Amino acid sequence: MQTVNTTKKNNVKNLDPTVRESESNRFEKPGEYFDGYANEWDEMYTPKNASRAHDYVQRESKLLNWVETTLTSPKNVLEFGCGAGHCAAAVSERGHNVTALDVSSEMIEATRRRFASRNLSATFVVGQVQDL
């Protein structure tokens, strides 16, 4: 059975993997491990998780700056470990052909929903990069 600690302040799953009671599932069955985060992944980008949100927004900003200055014409872009598809969607919005890969089927579904809500298209793959 997979257990998840919750915070008392906002009753949201604690998204810090170091707080999980069982780490073995993270490495033995990573798809199942990250499936448990799929519905709350967007919380990582909100002010409720300010320090984490800042880190993710900073990384996304750096990625998009690189994309805009380096990829001058539409390219094929693979994002592995796409999570809920924040970066993948942003890259697609800039005209690139995106393949979104994640080990978690639930994360891929979250990515599909993000793309659909923005009328974007991509190739969605459940799997691990070493299997490509």
Side-chain angles (χ1 to χ4, degrees):
M1 184 162 111
Q2 189 174 10
T3 59
V4 178
N5 292 332
T6 58
T7 58
K8 299 268 191 230
K9 289 194 294 189
N10 56 19
N11 204 24
V12 172
K13 282 184 183 179
N14 187 329
L15 299 176
D16 182 349
T18 62
V19 179
R20 302 291 300 247
E21 289 181 18
S22 171
E23 284 290 305
S24 64
N25 202 35
R26 180 178 184 189
F27 300 104
E28 293 170 14
K29 298 179 182 177
E32 290 178 18
Y33 178 84
F34 286 102
D35 280 349
Y37 288 129
N39 292 329
E40 291 81 17
W41 200 253
D42 284 331
E43 291 291 324
M44 299 291 278
Y45 292 83
T46 65
K48 282 195 258 183
N49 291 301
S51 64
R52 275 254 160 101
H54 176 76
D55 291 344
Y56 283 103
V57 170
Q58 287 288 334
R59 279 191 269 181
E60 184 176 320
S61 176
K62 288 178 182 180
L63 168 70
L64 296 178
N65 182 54
W66 180 85
V67 165
E68 291 169 357
T69 59
T70 307
L71 304 181
T72 56
S73 62
K75 302 287 186 201
N76 294 324
V77 177
L78 168 65
E79 181 179 10
F80 56 91
C82 68
H86 288 268
C87 291
V91 170
S92 180
E93 287 173 333
R94 284 153 177 81
H96 302 288
N97 304 311
V98 172
T99 298
L101 170 74
D102 202 282
V103 70
S104 165
S105 60
E106 296 297 322
M107 290 292 193
I108 288 295
E109 286 307 311
T111 301
R112 284 182 197 274
R113 288 190 299 273
R114 180 172 311 287
F115 272 70
S117 72
R118 296 179 181 184
N119 294 316
L120 298 170
S121 63
T123 300
F124 305 98
V125 180
V126 176
Q128 297 185 33
V129 73
Q130 64 264 30
D131 297 333
L132 294 179

